Amino acid sequence: MERLKKILLLLCFTASITSSFSQSQPCPLNINFATGDLTHWSAFTGTFVNEIRVVKIFDSLIAAPAGTIGSVSFPESNTGTPGMQVSNTNGIDTFGGFPIIPKINGYQYTNSVRLGSTTVTYGSELGHGLVRGVKYVINVPAGNVDTPYTITYAYAMVLENGTHASNQQPLARAIVETKSGVIICASPSYFLPTSGSNNDLDSAAAYRQGFSPSPVISPNSNVTGPINAYRVWTKGWTEVTFNLSPYRGQQVTLTFEADNCIPSGHFAYAYFAIRNDCSGLKISGPIAACQNGTITYSVPALSDATYIWTIPNGWKKVLDSLNVLKVIPETAGGGTISVHEVNSCADLKAALNVVTSSATIAGVLSGGNSVCIDNNSSKIVLTGNRGNLVKWLWTTDGSNWMTNNSSRDSFLVVKNLKQTTTYRALVQYGSDCSIDSSTSALIKVNAFSKAGVISPTTLNICQGQNKGATLNINGSMGNIVNWQFSTDSIVWKDLNPPNTDTFFNVNNINVATKFRTIVASSGCAADTSKAAQVNIYNALFPQAVLMPQDITICFGDKAILKANIFKGSSYAWLNYNSLYDPNSRTITSTPFTVTAQAAPSSSTRYLLAIQNEDCPNLWIDTFNVTVSPAIIVNAGHDTSVLVNQPLQLNALVNDSNIHSFLWYPATGLNNSFIANPIATLGAGIDFVNYKVTVTNSSGCSGVDYILLRNYKSEPDFLVPNAFTPNGDGLNDIIKPIPIGITTLHYFRIYNRWGQMIFSTNEFNKGWDGNINGTQQQSGTYLYMTEGIDYLGNTIIRKGTIVLIR
């Protein structure tokens, strides 16, 4: 068939299969290249001459080298390069990255044939693009036309873009032909499409056809096309199935072909593989499934086909994408999966009986415990599992899991561990269910017990002492089991209730006593500390009560520190921050009351120490004085208003927990109990100095003042005619005084040359007589100011001022 024929008027057929199950149908001999050669296939190689294909035929009835019997490969026409090669060993294609023998939809093909190479022709052979192909004449067995007889083949290809007209581009194709013509739906033909006057590659169309550019650069550095990494395009493995049952007793020809571009210089090669199963449609996937696991089933893809999948009741469909089905068997027992696929080449049905087993249950590990380092033994037991134990896993860092192959039993005995270790069991219920991991069991490995040292080793206390008599255990390793005491160093008694703290407060003992601790790491033998001696002085320990011990005051207030002393001869304060105590520090008689005043600016602890005659130990306790932060109030800048001009006041506070506001006096205010009252002063009032008091929920307060001057005139700016910026704090800044002005657009100062040397739009901000830190000379300057009064009118004023130094 000439490449110039773009359109073939071919007949297609539709075969209807009514049986739900395929029957055993033998395939033609070596249809899948199972003998490792081209026996029973004919072959051809050649070139294009004046755009007409000229080929040499290798007959299927003749032995190699003239025929194909026993032939594994044939060279390209007029070259020694292999142009046709049967493969039974898998590998990866250099350009496409796909395997040269495919596994598709769970079916592993065993052999493939490669047609073509990267060889191109030049010079005297210009215009002689290479041609190569193989052909098989299928004798369709006689029989019932309702029984399917199918051929399934797969193809993959590598095409080099030559920037030629589409009908001259490198080509790969398959042709299935009967005496009635070509079966189009079983005869795909591919080339890289081009368009336009420059025959540019239509990459969008190429992508739609399943092609993608290869990152591997073409080995042919000719000048008839672009030289870059995207000149070679590849299409991965695709399957085609067609039904030949309507042609029972007839011959059908199957041809595979790969051609270089017609002008030569750009290569094409393609792989073809055939299933050795001709008995109709078959579903690929496991016949034994695990309950609640996700299982994939598939059938060979038909071009432009529709697929209808049916699953057992109680199963869940996860994915139904044309020829691929994913399901979850949510019920045990099993059922039948069926599929019906239809296109213009075939109408096929298939079914697969699936047996469902219950899912794996990994179970629970018990036996986790704490042991002592080195000499230890633990038994871990797996229970509640459904399935067999696959392996034991263990880790010492929680990340890197290692395998313990010493046991396949449901228990594991581990000995002499040196590190804390976590164990898990992997369980699988039959080969059809996934492996699952059990809960973990932790064996904590502890170091040997170490009792440590009690400090102080000797403690002297007074009679009735209940403060400051503490023993501490340091350097222990393990848990404190209890403290023990003895008055004779022979009989030791446990504290009751037990004390498991690292300290012990010695209270109310009357005779000399020794104390020690018992420390044990879990799983290890206990260790006993050396004893500490507690001696008793024949003197009473001071006694006192703080009233109260914790005090909260407002910033600026005073706290009254009061202590009632029942035993003691003198006292002392151990810190004096803002503390006033009028007493003499000597206790003349008991009970005795100490009263002091403290006014700290921030929260402070005051320590009171009391001594009682011959007792060497001090009674020490702490007053905790908490100072609430200062409430800072800002009532705003002093300002001027006109008669009956409403002015919005606003008290800003740093505390969000405010309870009340109070403005005083209430003269002219619409509400004196809110944060933002409106003040309006009548003609009989010259000024009002408002005080605002703000109180929070704790009763703390803060105050601020704002002075309002009341002018009996029209809205205006008052600007002094002179100022003396000499740093004495008097008249150092020139600024406008707004009367009835609510908005300042600008206040500007100009020198004698008309240059603006100062500008602001902020009230209460003025010029200090400097420019960039440099003092200006005495003299006359011009000012201009503009603003909006409370009635919405624009007020503009200008004049001169005198700077005097």
Side-chain angles (χ1 to χ4, degrees):
M1 298 176 64
E2 289 76 19
R3 290 284 301 278
L4 292 179
K5 294 181 180 180
K6 295 182 179 179
I7 303 175
L8 297 176
L9 300 178
L10 303 173
L11 298 177
C12 190
F13 69 94
T14 300
S16 177
I17 304 301
T18 58
S19 172
S20 295
F21 298 92
S22 59
Q23 300 180 13
S24 177
Q25 300 285 322
C27 289
L29 295 175
N30 199 36
I31 189 73
N32 64 337
F33 314 108
T35 61
D37 54 34
L38 292 170
T39 300
H40 297 299
W41 289 78
S42 61
F44 56 89
T45 61
T47 60
F48 288 100
V49 177
N50 296 325
E51 299 190 357
I52 298 175
R53 190 178 63 174
V54 178
V55 298
K56 176 182 178 180
I57 305 297
F58 299 89
D59 199 305
S60 63
L61 302 177
I62 304 175
T68 60
I69 298 176
S71 296
V72 174
S73 65
F74 287 97
E76 299 279 25
S77 178
N78 301 321
T79 74
T81 304
M84 192 179 305
Q85 180 73 48
V86 175
S87 298
N88 54 21
T89 301
N90 214 338
I92 300 297
D93 181 78
T94 301
F95 293 95
F98 48 74
I100 64 176
I101 301 176
K103 182 177 182 179
I104 305 175
N105 298 324
Y107 181 86
Q108 178 63 63
Y109 287 79
T110 57
N111 306 278
S112 68
V113 62
R114 169 175 158 163
L115 304 179
S117 65
T118 58
T119 299
V120 294
T121 56
Y122 302 95
S124 62
E125 295 185 352
L126 187 64
H128 295 183
L130 298 175
V131 175
R132 67 291 267 184
V134 293
K135 182 183 296 186
Y136 198 107
V137 178
I138 303 171
N139 292 301
V140 182
N144 188 345
V145 295
D146 292 334
T147 301
Y149 188 77
T150 56
I151 299 293
T152 299
Y153 69 86
Y155 61 88
M157 61 190 68
V158 177
L159 303 179
E160 183 182 18
N161 176 30
T163 318
H164 302 303
S166 295
N167 64 341
Q168 293 184 328
Q169 285 276 72
L171 167 81
R173 65 180 176 179
I175 303 174
V176 181
E177 191 171 12
T178 71
K179 64 180 181 179
S180 301
V182 173
I183 303 175
I184 296 178
C185 61
S187 305
S189 178
Y190 287 98
F191 51 84
L192 294 174
T194 58
S195 61
S197 58
N198 295 325
N199 292 320
D200 295 324
L201 176 67
D202 188 346
S203 58
Y207 277 113
R208 287 194 296 270
Q209 294 180 25
F211 283 96
S212 59
S214 172
V216 181
I217 298 175
S218 170
N220 302 314
S221 58
N222 56 73
V223 295
T224 60
I227 302 174
N228 55 55
Y230 301 104
R231 199 171 77 185
V232 180
W233 290 65
T234 68
K235 179 177 173 63
W237 285 101
T238 305
E239 281 190 315
V240 176
T241 298
F242 53 94
N243 184 25
L244 297 179
S245 63
Y247 304 98
R248 292 286 186 180
Q250 302 179 34
Q251 288 187 335
V252 177
T253 303
L254 173 62
T255 303
F256 299 138
E257 182 177 347
D259 300 342
N260 287 8
C261 68
I262 288 178
S264 79
H266 302 98
F267 68 83
Y269 67 81
Y271 298 92
F272 296 91
I274 304 181
R275 291 194 181 207
N276 191 31
D277 186 349
C278 300
S279 55
L281 187 66
K282 285 190 175 181
I283 299 175
S284 298
I287 61 174
C290 188
Q291 185 178 352
N292 295 323
T294 301
I295 312 166
T296 301
Y297 295 95
S298 61
V299 291
L302 299 184
S303 177
D304 299 322
T306 60
Y307 300 82
I308 300 175
W309 289 90
T310 304
I311 63 176
N313 291 332
W315 288 29
K316 180 180 178 180
K317 188 180 293 184
V318 178
L319 174 68
D320 183 354
S321 176
L322 299 179
N323 65 310
V324 177
L325 172 73
K326 288 186 178 181
V327 293
I328 298 177
E330 295 186 337
T331 58
T336 300
I337 292 176
S338 62
V339 64
H340 182 194
E341 62 178 3
V342 179
N343 75 346
S344 55
C345 275
D347 185 340
L348 301 172
K349 295 180 180 179
L352 185 67
N353 292 323
V354 180
V355 177
T356 307
S357 61
S358 299
T360 299
I361 298 178
V364 177
L365 288 187
S366 60
N369 64 345
S370 296
V371 298
C372 202
I373 192 169
D374 287 334
N375 186 18
N376 54 71
S377 178
S378 300
K379 184 177 182 179
I380 304 169
V381 180
L382 174 66
T383 58
N385 58 300
R386 180 164 63 210
N388 297 322
L389 189 140
V390 177
K391 65 175 69 173
W392 290 93
L393 299 178
W394 61 276
T395 180
T396 56
D397 59 12
S399 300
N400 301 303
W401 290 86
M402 288 160 279
T403 301
N404 188 320
N405 294 315
S406 62
S407 175
R408 291 290 188 274
D409 297 325
S410 59
F411 65 90
L412 180 68
V413 177
V414 293
K415 297 181 177 181
N416 302 327
L417 295 179
K418 297 182 180 297
Q419 292 178 274
T420 297
T421 307
T422 301
Y423 291 88
R424 284 180 180 172
L426 296 185
V427 178
Q428 184 178 27
Y429 186 53
S431 59
D432 305 313
C433 294
S434 60
I435 297 175
D436 198 3
S437 174
S438 71
T439 62
S440 60
L442 176 70
I443 307 296
K444 184 178 181 181
V445 178
N446 297 309
F448 294 116
S449 305
K450 183 179 179 181
V453 177
I454 296 177
S455 63
T457 57
T458 300
L459 177 63
N460 298 318
I461 65 175
C462 300
Q463 293 182 16
Q465 183 169 345
N466 56 6
K467 293 176 66 67
T470 302
L471 299 175
N472 295 279
I473 184 73
N474 300 308
S476 63
M477 187 174 295
N479 299 315
I480 307 297
V481 178
N482 202 355
W483 289 72
Q484 294 182 330
F485 66 93
S486 175
T487 57
D488 58 7
S489 300
I490 299 175
V491 178
W492 289 89
K493 296 181 180 180
D494 294 330
L495 292 182
N496 188 17
N499 179 15
T500 58
D501 296 326
T502 58
F503 63 90
F504 173 61
N505 292 320
V506 182
N507 295 323
N508 301 318
I509 66 170
N510 298 314
V511 297
T513 306
K514 290 186 176 181
F515 291 87
R516 69 184 186 184
T517 56
I518 308 298
V519 177
S521 295
S522 182
C524 298
D527 189 25
T528 304
S529 71
K530 291 184 178 180
Q533 178 71 43
V534 178
N535 298 318
I536 305 298
Y537 269 84
N538 188 23
L540 292 176
F541 186 70
Q543 295 181 19
V545 175
L546 305 184
M547 301 186 305
Q549 187 168 2
D550 298 318
I551 307 170
T552 300
I553 61 173
C554 298
F555 180 85
D557 288 350
K558 296 178 180 179
I560 303 301
L561 310 183
K562 186 175 181 180
N564 284 345
I565 302 174
F566 304 103
K567 293 290 182 183
S569 57
S570 62
Y571 72 92
W573 293 97
L574 301 186
N575 63 321
Y576 297 93
N577 178 21
S578 302
L579 180 69
Y580 170 73
D581 183 356
N583 301 291
S584 63
R585 310 293 199 273
T586 299
I587 300 172
T588 57
S589 63
T590 56
F592 183 85
T593 300
V594 174
T595 302
Q597 295 181 354
S601 59
S602 59
S603 297
T604 305
R605 301 174 65 199
Y606 294 93
L607 278 68
L608 178 64
I610 303 173
Q611 186 174 13
N612 187 35
E613 298 175 341
D614 296 330
C615 177
N617 299 335
L618 297 177
W619 180 99
I620 299 175
D621 211 339
T622 304
F623 288 96
N624 298 303
V625 179
T626 301
V627 179
S628 297
I631 297 179
I632 301 174
V633 185
N634 183 2
H637 294 289
D638 296 343
T639 188
S640 300
V641 295
L642 296 176
V643 172
N644 296 323
Q645 174 194 343
L647 178 66
Q648 178 75 66
L649 302 178
N650 190 23
L652 301 177
V653 190
N654 67 333
D655 191 335
S656 60
N657 192 23
I658 296 303
H659 177 68
S660 65
F661 291 84
L662 176 62
W663 293 80
Y664 181 84
T667 303
L669 299 180
N670 67 329
N671 189 336
S672 59
F673 301 103
I674 60 176
N676 51 352
I678 296 175
T680 307
L681 302 182
I685 301 174
D686 293 330
F687 67 90
V688 177
N689 191 20
Y690 289 109
K691 172 185 177 183
V692 58
T693 302
V694 179
T695 305
N696 66 13
S697 58
S698 299
C700 299
S701 61
V703 298
D704 196 21
Y705 299 86
I706 180 171
L707 176 64
L708 266 62
R709 292 184 175 88
N710 191 21
Y711 287 85
K712 302 172 182 65
S713 63
E714 296 297 324
D716 203 352
F717 287 105
L718 300 182
V719 181
N721 57 13
F723 73 115
T724 56
N726 52 19
D728 61 0
L730 299 174
N731 202 25
D732 285 337
I733 296 176
I734 187 72
K735 63 182 179 181
I737 300 173
I739 307 299
I741 305 298
T742 58
T743 302
L744 176 63
H745 287 165
Y746 61 81
F747 173 64
R748 296 169 181 166
I749 304 293
Y750 299 86
N751 62 18
R752 70 181 67 180
W753 297 283
Q755 297 171 323
M756 186 174 68
I757 58 178
F758 175 79
S759 179
T760 183
N761 61 358
E762 298 181 34
F763 287 119
N764 297 302
K765 186 175 181 180
W767 184 44
D768 62 0
N770 297 321
I771 299 178
N772 297 325
T774 301
Q775 291 185 353
Q776 300 303 295
Q777 296 178 354
S778 298
T780 302
Y781 294 83
L782 176 69
Y783 77 84
M784 293 184 66
T785 184
E786 178 182 307
I788 304 295
D789 68 12
Y790 73 97
L791 298 175
N793 300 316
T794 300
I795 306 297
I796 301 175
R797 295 289 182 266
K798 61 183 177 179
T800 60
I801 57 174
V802 178
L803 188 157
I804 303 173
R805 291 196 183 276

